[in-house]
Amino acid sequence: MPLPPTVGRAPLHTRSIEIRGYRREDGLFDIEGHLVDVKAVDFKVAGRMRPPGTPVHDMWLRITVDSQLHIVDVAASMDAVPYAGECDSIAPDYRKLVGLAIRPGYLQRVKTL
């Protein structure tokens, strides 16, 4: 059901998240996520102005799981981040998810990594 009409407005920010699941030839499953943030106006980040439509974040994550939802592999990459050299330095840390299982309590275990 669509939302009711509102007053005139101008767009500022859009976050798009796409998640896809794949069955692999080796019997495992890949879950891939892609997150993109863009602003519809000029914006300043890290001391410089960026034009509308320039991604603030453009991040990818792939988690490979087995049939019991044990994480057997993880890959992360960041094509755009607001603070290069800082924000993108976390990508290798996603490998710490390998060995965990996605089930009740999963988020509490992830927070301790």
Side-chain angles (χ1 to χ4, degrees):
M1 172 185 322
L3 294 171
T6 186
V7 299
R9 56 193 186 169
L12 296 175
H13 183 95
T14 300
R15 172 169 279 183
S16 300
I17 300 172
E18 183 175 14
I19 300 172
R20 293 180 180 218
Y22 299 91
R23 182 186 317 268
R24 297 168 31 139
E25 292 177 355
D26 60 5
L28 299 174
F29 301 89
D30 283 339
I31 309 301
E32 289 186 359
H34 185 208
L35 179 144
V36 180
D37 283 325
V38 294
K39 297 208 177 282
V41 296
D42 288 333
F43 62 101
K44 189 174 185 176
V45 172
R48 63 177 216 211
M49 291 301 293
R50 297 189 186 184
T54 303
V56 180
H57 295 103
D58 188 348
M59 305 183 301
W60 298 83
L61 179 67
R62 180 177 56 238
I63 297 175
T64 303
V65 298
D66 63 16
S67 60
Q68 274 73 56
L69 298 179
H70 294 103
I71 299 172
V72 298
D73 197 16
V74 177
S77 68
M78 300 182 186
D79 295 332
V81 293
Y83 299 97
E86 294 180 38
C87 297
D88 49 353
S89 67
I90 193 172
D93 288 334
Y94 283 94
R95 298 277 312 146
K96 294 177 182 178
L97 297 172
V98 172
L100 294 180
I102 301 172
R103 53 181 45 108
Y106 167 76
L107 290 178
Q108 285 74 27
R109 290 192 302 276
V110 168
K111 289 177 185 176
T112 64
L113 293 178

